[in-house]
Amino acid sequence: MHFRQLRSVVLGAALVGLMAVPAAAQEVVGAYVAYIGTDDLFNSRGQRLSAPWQVLRQDRANFHKFGLSQPGDEWDPFFGDVNNRAAMERMVMNGSIEPAAARKIMAGGATVFVRIYGYGSRGDYVRVTVTR
């Protein structure tokens, strides 16, 4: 085998080996449980919210910014920051929420469990599960 052929084989094997290494899994950077009450269904101007991510964001604003909470609401280490709350739509779109869960959120009276995934203090997506 010539040097060039040997080098190509070694480089090819190294690239295949790198591709086989899974990407580092994102970690849970926070999680919380919250009860979605009537106050969470309306924005600060009293307008009815129209999407689950808006309700989840309002719930966290009510909890962290306005001091409004219902029994069952928990503190979380992530959404106390207004910029992190602003990223809620993207995080829901990048994550998962079942259609039935979305309907329960929009109706109110549901308990949500939200897991926030990312790295360090950066959240990339959320997984939302709902119980009634």
Side-chain angles (χ1 to χ4, degrees):
M1 200 178 272
H2 290 91
F3 176 72
R4 282 188 174 164
Q5 290 174 319
L6 180 60
R7 187 175 71 178
S8 294
V9 169
V10 170
L11 286 174
L15 287 174
V16 169
L18 286 175
M19 292 183 338
V21 174
Q26 292 191 334
E27 59 192 35
V28 175
V29 296
Y32 68 92
V33 173
Y35 179 80
I36 303 301
T38 303
D39 289 338
D40 301 323
L41 301 176
F42 296 86
N43 69 16
S44 302
R45 295 181 301 275
Q47 299 168 323
R48 180 69 157 90
L49 300 172
S50 60
W53 68 266
Q54 293 172 326
V55 173
L56 294 170
R57 179 180 179 180
Q58 187 65 47
D59 168 76
R60 293 294 82 193
N62 285 344
F63 186 87
H64 289 290
K65 182 177 179 181
F66 301 115
L68 300 172
S69 63
Q70 295 85 27
D73 283 357
E74 294 180 348
W75 176 85
D76 71 88
F78 190 77
F79 290 116
D81 182 297
V82 67
N83 295 318
N84 289 344
R85 288 194 303 272
M88 181 69 84
E89 177 181 20
R90 174 188 51 79
M91 293 175 70
V92 170
M93 288 175 25
N94 290 342
S96 62
I97 182 169
E98 296 291 323
R103 286 189 298 275
K104 289 177 183 177
I105 289 170
M106 296 309 298
T111 299
V112 297
F113 177 58
V114 179
R115 289 179 308 273
I116 307 154
Y117 291 85
Y119 297 104
S121 63
R122 184 189 86 218
D124 292 321
Y125 66 94
V126 295
R127 291 210 172 118
V128 181
T129 54
V130 176
T131 61
R132 187 53 74 184

